[in-house]
Amino acid sequence: MRPPRETDPGGFALRSDGEIRIAPSILSADFAALGRDVAAVERGGADLIHVDVMDGQFVPNLTIGPAVVRALKRIAGRPLDVHLMIAEPDRYVEAFVGAGAGMVSVHVEAVPHLHRTIHLIKQLGVKAGAVLNPSTPAGALEDIAADLDFVLVMSVNPGFGGQAFIPHSLDKLRRVRDVLDRAGSSAPIEIDGGIDATNAAAVVAAGASILVAGHAIFGGSDPEAATRLLRDAALGAATRA
Ligand code: DX5
Ligand code: ZN
């Protein structure tokens, strides 16, 4: 068996080592001041910058393309975590990696040949993740689990920020962790949708270690403090565990 990669060409490790990573989603940031907002969350301790790409087809919303990712890459001091909520992601993966993505995730529901798509991403030298919508069972990952660098569990239906966390996602996290463990994978699990300081402890206890948050971080007036608050809430769970 190949040993887990410690670092990628971008130089960051991504393993299920118990380390909590906070990934602010710029979907709820001020698009006219992305540089300011990214700098604020980085001062607050953000580990990743989560970028939601939507095409108006796979999800009913339109957001960001490679040009914005390229601009973010110039100003971000953290890896860009690009979440593709688009149909036919194979057509665009190379453009997003070329623009500076350090992690690329694709929806299981959007691709007919997930194995091919995951390996396409990995061959480009970045972390490859598979995303599960709330209604997609954890078992959908059984035959690809060993190939994944990370899994993203959606805790809302994708398309919009500011939605309520779906409580069933806690069971889902435990089942995804079980699928990964049975495949001998230490890949971390990312959780995305409705995450805030009130549920951070619960999602970490259920197996998530990368926490995406949009509204909870950018919805108020102090994204730096909100990032710190979310980390503290998540770490509280980690130290109790
Ligand atoms: C939803 C996106 C999320 C979104 C999360 O489709 O994938 O990343 O930005 O936003 P909140 O934290 O506001 O639910
Ligand atoms: Zn997302």
Side-chain angles (χ1 to χ4, degrees):
M1 202 168 118
R2 199 162 49 87
R5 275 186 301 174
E6 294 289 306
T7 57
D8 77 345
F12 70 103
L14 193 62
R15 288 170 297 139
S16 183
D17 49 9
E19 190 179 328
I20 302 299
R21 293 179 175 83
I22 304 296
S25 163
I26 59 159
L27 186 61
S28 293
D30 180 349
F31 278 20
L34 281 179
R36 181 201 65 194
D37 279 2
V38 167
V41 296
E42 289 186 358
R43 284 195 306 275
D47 301 281
L48 303 166
I49 302 298
H50 186 82
V51 182
D52 288 307
V53 177
M54 306 186 188
D55 66 349
Q57 189 179 346
F58 179 67
V59 291
N61 198 0
L62 276 169
T63 57
I64 288 165
V68 174
V69 172
R70 185 167 293 109
L72 284 168
K73 181 65 185 167
R74 281 196 282 113
I75 53 113
R78 302 285 181 273
L80 300 178
D81 166 28
V82 174
H83 175 191
L84 296 181
M85 284 161 278
I86 63 176
E88 298 187 57
D90 296 29
R91 293 173 59 192
Y92 300 102
V93 160
E94 201 168 345
F96 281 104
V97 172
M103 297 162 64
V104 175
S105 56
V106 294
H107 274 256
V108 168
E109 307 83 8
V111 290
H113 308 293
L114 183 61
H115 181 275
R116 175 182 294 154
T117 308
I118 290 297
H119 284 276
L120 169 65
I121 297 168
K122 292 174 78 148
Q123 276 161 22
L124 293 168
V126 302
K127 308 294 186 203
V131 192
L132 299 176
N133 274 338
S135 68
T136 304
L141 297 179
E142 249 173 43
D143 290 302
I144 191 74
D147 297 3
L148 301 172
D149 293 312
F150 64 105
V151 173
L152 196 171
V153 170
M154 289 304 304
S155 40
V156 299
N157 288 293
F160 303 95
Q163 302 182 82
F165 178 79
I166 298 172
H168 183 69
S169 311
L170 294 174
D171 283 342
K172 179 76 146 290
L173 285 169
R174 286 186 276 267
R175 276 181 280 112
V176 169
R177 186 71 262 160
D178 188 52
V179 169
L180 289 168
D181 288 350
R182 278 189 284 115
S185 168
S186 63
I189 306 176
E190 179 170 28
I191 183 90
D192 184 4
I195 300 301
D196 61 22
T198 70
N199 55 28
V203 297
V204 169
S209 62
I210 305 174
L211 277 60
V212 177
H215 183 75
I217 284 179
F218 294 108
S221 57
D222 192 344
E224 177 182 342
T227 305
R228 217 168 272 131
L229 180 73
L230 187 62
R231 174 184 296 286
D232 287 349
L235 285 176
T239 50
R240 272 198 305 273

